[in-house]
Structure formats: C-alpha cells, structure tokens
Amino acid sequence: LSPITDRVSVTQKLEVDHKGFKPSVSLMEVGFSYSNSAEPTLSNVSLEVSPGSQVAIVGSSGAGKSTLVDLILGLRGNETGKIFIGGLIPGEAIKKWPGAISYVPQNVYVSDSTILSNVAFGYEVICMDLAWEALEIAQLSEFVKSLPLGVHTPVGEGGNMISGGERQRLGIARALYTKPKLLILDEATSSLDAQTEVAISG
C-alpha cells in the first residue's frame, strides 16, 4: 500500500498524473461482521459515488462508519457483496494507481521528523512545489511560513510540538501531496474551525 494506511513508511515513486483512473466508488450489497459481535456491523450496503461528487456518511458512534471506510480502502475484507474503486477491487486500484486515492483517518499518525518529511511521508522524492501546494490547501502554509525553520521545523514525537488542529492539517496536506483524485476523510476535520473546514472541503 501507499501511505493510505497512514502508518507504514515505505519508499515509493511519486505519482501525480493518475492517468486512466476514474474516481468512482461502487458498493453492492456489502456486509461485514466482527467475530465478537452477534449482529452484523454492516448489512446489504449499496452505494454509488460518481466522479466529482462529495458524499458524507453520517451515523451515531459505533454505527460502522469507520468500518465502511476500511472496507472501501481494502483494509478489511467484506464478507458479502462487492466493492469497486475505478472499476477494480480496492487493493488492485491502489496498486495500479498509487497516490490517486488518499485517506485521512480520525487520528493522524505523525512521525518524529520535520513538517516536510511528514507531508512527503513514504516517498523518496520530495517535491517542494507539491508540498507547499498541499500545505496551502490544508490551510497550514501561513503557520509554516511563520516558523523560523519553515518546512524543516521538527514536530516532535507524535506531533507533540504542534496543536491537534495543526496535526490534522498536516495529515490532510500529506493526503493531498500526490494530487489524489479520490480523497476519503474519516472525521479528519473534527479539530478544525468551521472556516478552515470549508476551505479544505472546497
């Protein structure tokens, strides 16, 4: 996988063109149950997400929202039904179009390194233009410019030298670094103010 898992650092080629990738998601009668649960977490879920659209999945805590995201990303295997991204099953889509699909989890992993290293996390090629563009969209560029070391500023273990909102913006900037065509957010803007959330969503 690419840094879509947001936790495993791997060295890979930076791709930003994503030629041939159609950012569509299709779920057909998908079901999933945890082994320790008497009732299925998800049952007969069908969903079509067309290119260019924004879809919000809402529900109470424990309703299975994060589980559904894991299934879409291929991080868990669905027990019933079918899931396709761009016409392929999730694992194949991620492998064929690395960087075309980005994911920002609820709790962003931040490595004990610099802002720039975290934005380009997992890639051997660091493109400053792409990094600054991602920071700009994530509403973090002005903060970074105000720092004496700029993008080379250390963030500390787990990002303990920056705020919760800045950690989330950093995770969003990382997700945007590859110019993805499909962006999946799992409550990833919960620590952001309303104005910043609108700017990122737009």
Side-chain angles (χ1 to χ4, degrees):
L1 288 179
S2 68
I4 202 164
T5 61
D6 204 44
R7 292 191 178 277
V8 180
S9 179
V10 293
T11 299
Q12 58 182 345
K13 183 180 178 181
L14 179 61
E15 301 280 357
V16 296
D17 292 331
H18 319 308
K19 293 180 180 178
F21 177 67
K22 180 182 179 182
S24 62
V25 179
S26 178
L27 284 74
M28 293 174 282
E29 299 182 350
V30 170
F32 179 84
S33 300
Y34 288 98
S35 59
N36 60 351
S37 177
E39 297 293 330
T41 303
L42 299 169
S43 179
N44 295 321
V45 177
S46 295
L47 174 68
E48 293 288 339
V49 181
S50 302
S53 61
Q54 295 185 18
V55 175
I57 298 172
V58 298
S60 59
S61 178
K65 300 186 298 296
S66 293
T67 300
L68 183 59
V69 168
D70 286 350
L71 294 175
I72 292 172
L73 294 172
L75 301 177
R76 297 183 186 275
N78 48 299
E79 295 174 336
T80 60
K82 296 180 180 180
I83 300 175
F84 297 103
I85 298 178
L88 301 178
I89 63 174
E92 291 180 357
I94 292 168
K95 183 177 180 180
K96 183 173 182 178
W97 295 291
I101 306 160
S102 284
Y103 166 53
V104 186
Q106 294 182 37
N107 299 309
V108 173
Y109 171 76
V110 178
S111 67
D112 187 5
S113 56
T114 66
I115 289 172
L116 181 60
S117 293
N118 270 283
V119 172
F121 182 70
Y123 291 93
E124 68 175 338
V125 176
I126 296 180
C127 175
M128 293 297 291
D129 288 343
L130 289 175
W132 276 112
E133 182 179 350
L135 289 167
E136 183 76 31
I137 297 172
Q139 303 292 293
L140 196 60
S141 61
E142 292 305 313
F143 165 72
V144 174
K145 290 176 183 176
S146 72
L147 300 171
L149 297 178
V151 292
H152 304 293
T153 301
V155 297
E157 185 176 356
N160 61 12
M161 296 175 66
I162 57 178
S163 72
E166 288 156 0
R167 283 193 295 273
Q168 282 197 320
R169 290 184 182 92
L170 189 57
I172 292 168
R174 175 188 298 160
L176 297 173
Y177 180 62
T178 58
K179 301 178 77 68
K181 292 181 176 291
L182 177 62
L183 180 62
I184 300 176
L185 309 174
D186 188 358
E187 298 187 23
T189 57
S190 61
S191 293
L192 306 182
D193 59 80
Q195 182 177 358
T196 302
E197 186 172 349
V198 169
I200 292 171
S201 300

